[in-house]
């Protein structure tokens, strides 16, 4: 006959009897019968070869061997508790560190709000936010220095894994009293001879804008250059010219700067996306943060005026446009 092996039920019954001091009370706590507890204890004593309890009539007290065995059982259960705690920490991403990046406007706004939401759900994760221009952010991601980035793309992202969140069209920004403000939609021909505040040379947005104006046969009259949307809008509001920027920046700056916003044709698309290092395996931590960042970005979009929203919604999916 095969030798009976010790099971969790035997140990559970033994610990219950040790704690309760009687088979009857142990059975009540375990929601079973007193004969079942007695049978389990008898089997455990047979398997260990130890008299675990001294019996005197109906009275039951731990033997010296039983007390020693109980100490070992408690140590084993403490180990199991430690494993349960470790599993809980892993589920909650305990002791994890996350490094995320974005261009300044996104870092101080959308990314910071995404991190705040993520920290509320996963308080044990340490999150570091890094801010830099688009070239710097792409470098941090491609080198693996940062785990994820929230960025705006006017071209391709090299050496990185790209997860599209949404696509929108850039808008024209004008001084509040500019004559072009009377027009519902603007195009390159409207800007002929009009002072223009441009993005820096060699930037992705500048390259796209230059191409659109060259195709239309319109030469831009550039009076100033600036790399940040806030700086562009400040120059525009000061009357230095008109410009083309991404709609999130435009509508945020319109809250504090006297500027007008108008749709622009042909479409100059900007993709809001999450970037991950090349050959990077998406962990649960990355997926959780990505979900927070995606949700925050879509919520911000929902608060924009209807005129800023893309006209044709598209299905959500990996690498596909959501809106645009």
């Amino acid at each position: 006959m095969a030798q009976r092996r010790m099971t969790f039920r035997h140990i559970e019954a033994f610990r219950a009897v040790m704690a309760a001091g009687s088979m009857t009370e142990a059975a009540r706590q375990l929601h079973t019968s007193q004969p079942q507890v007695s049978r389990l204890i008898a089997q455990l004593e047979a398997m260990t070869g130890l008299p675990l309890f001294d019996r005197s009539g109906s009275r039951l007290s731990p033997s010296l061997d039983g007390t020693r065995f109980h100490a070992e059982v408690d140590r084993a259960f403490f180990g199991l508790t430690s494993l349960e705690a470790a599993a809980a920490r892993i589920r909650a991403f305990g002791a994890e560190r996350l490094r995320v990046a974005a261009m300044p406007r996104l870092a101080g706004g959308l990314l910071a709000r995404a991190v705040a939401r993520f920290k509320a759900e996963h308080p044990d994760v340490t999150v570091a936010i890094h801010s830099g221009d688009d070239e710097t952010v792409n470098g941090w991601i491609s080198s693996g220095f940062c785990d994820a980035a929230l960025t705006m793309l006017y071209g391709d992202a090299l050496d990185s894994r790209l997860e599209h969140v949404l696509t929108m069209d850039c808008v024209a920004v004008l001084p509040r009293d500019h004559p072009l403000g009377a027009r519902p939609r603007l195009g390159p021909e409207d800007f002929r001879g009009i002072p223009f505040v441009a993005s820096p040379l060699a930037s992705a947005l500048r390259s796209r804008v230059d191409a659109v104006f060259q195709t239309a046969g319109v030469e831009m009259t550039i009076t100033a250059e600036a790399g940040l949307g806030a700086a562009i809008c400040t120059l525009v509001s000061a009357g230095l010219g008109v410009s083309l920027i991404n709609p999130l920046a435009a509508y945020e700056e319109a809250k504090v700067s006297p500027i007008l916003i108008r749709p622009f044709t042909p479409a100059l698309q900007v993709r809001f996306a999450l970037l991950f290092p090349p050959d990077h395996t998406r962990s649960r931590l990355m997926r959780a943060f990505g979900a927070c960042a995606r949700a925050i970005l879509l919520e911000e979009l929902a608060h924009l005026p209807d005129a800023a929203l893309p006209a044709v919604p598209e299905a959500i999916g990996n690498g596909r446009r959501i809106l645009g």
Side-chain angles (χ1 to χ4, degrees), residues 3-11 39-50 52 69:
Q3 185 177 2
R4 184 184 295 273
R5 297 181 63 86
M6 192 182 303
T7 67
F8 179 79
R9 293 186 64 202
H10 293 105
I11 301 302
R39 184 161 48 253
L40 289 170
I41 295 299
Q43 291 172 354
L44 183 60
E45 288 180 321
M47 285 183 283
T48 60
L50 300 173
L52 300 176
F69 184 67

Side-chain angles (χ1 to χ4, degrees), residues 87-294:
R89 287 195 300 273
I90 292 172
R91 287 194 302 271
F93 310 119
E96 292 269 15
R97 182 176 181 85
L98 185 65
R99 292 171 299 182
V100 296
M103 288 176 281
R105 170 174 297 281
L106 294 177
L110 291 172
L111 184 59
R113 287 190 282 276
V115 168
R117 177 174 299 183
F118 182 80
K119 284 286 292 182
E121 298 173 358
H122 308 289
D124 293 333
V125 180
T126 300
V127 184
I129 296 178
H130 298 272
S131 174
D133 59 29
D134 55 352
E135 184 176 349
T136 300
V137 169
N138 280 326
W140 285 337
I141 292 298
S142 62
S143 67
F145 172 74
C146 286
D147 303 298
L150 180 60
T151 188
M152 297 176 293
L153 299 170
Y154 301 96
D156 295 327
L158 301 178
D159 301 322
S160 297
R161 291 187 62 189
L162 175 66
E163 180 184 318
H164 289 263
V165 178
L166 58 92
T167 299
M168 300 181 69
D169 295 338
C170 289
V171 294
V173 288
L174 323 166
R176 184 166 291 175
D177 58 354
H178 199 281
L180 290 179
R183 303 187 182 185
R185 181 175 293 270
L186 300 172
E189 188 62 39
D190 297 312
F191 290 167
R192 188 183 296 275
I194 301 294
F196 192 93
V197 180
S199 299
L201 279 170
S203 68
L205 177 57
R206 175 66 175 272
S207 297
R208 295 285 303 280
V209 171
D210 285 351
V212 166
F213 277 75
Q214 288 170 7
T215 300
V218 176
E219 183 176 353
M220 290 187 294
T221 306
I222 296 175
T223 57
E225 294 180 356
L228 298 178
I232 288 176
C233 289
T234 297
L235 295 175
V236 168
S237 66
L240 270 69
V242 300
S243 191
L244 295 169
I245 63 173
N246 77 80
L248 285 182
Y251 279 95
E252 188 168 332
E253 288 302 318
K255 299 174 184 177
V256 295
S257 297
I259 59 174
L260 297 176
I261 301 171
R262 294 293 181 267
F264 182 83
T265 303
L268 279 169
Q269 293 182 339
V270 53
R271 294 180 295 162
F272 293 86
L274 290 166
L275 293 180
F276 300 95
D279 303 322
H280 180 74
T281 301
R282 292 284 306 279
S283 64
R284 288 194 311 115
L285 181 66
M286 289 291 95
R287 291 195 297 271
F289 176 76
C292 282
R294 177 183 289 273

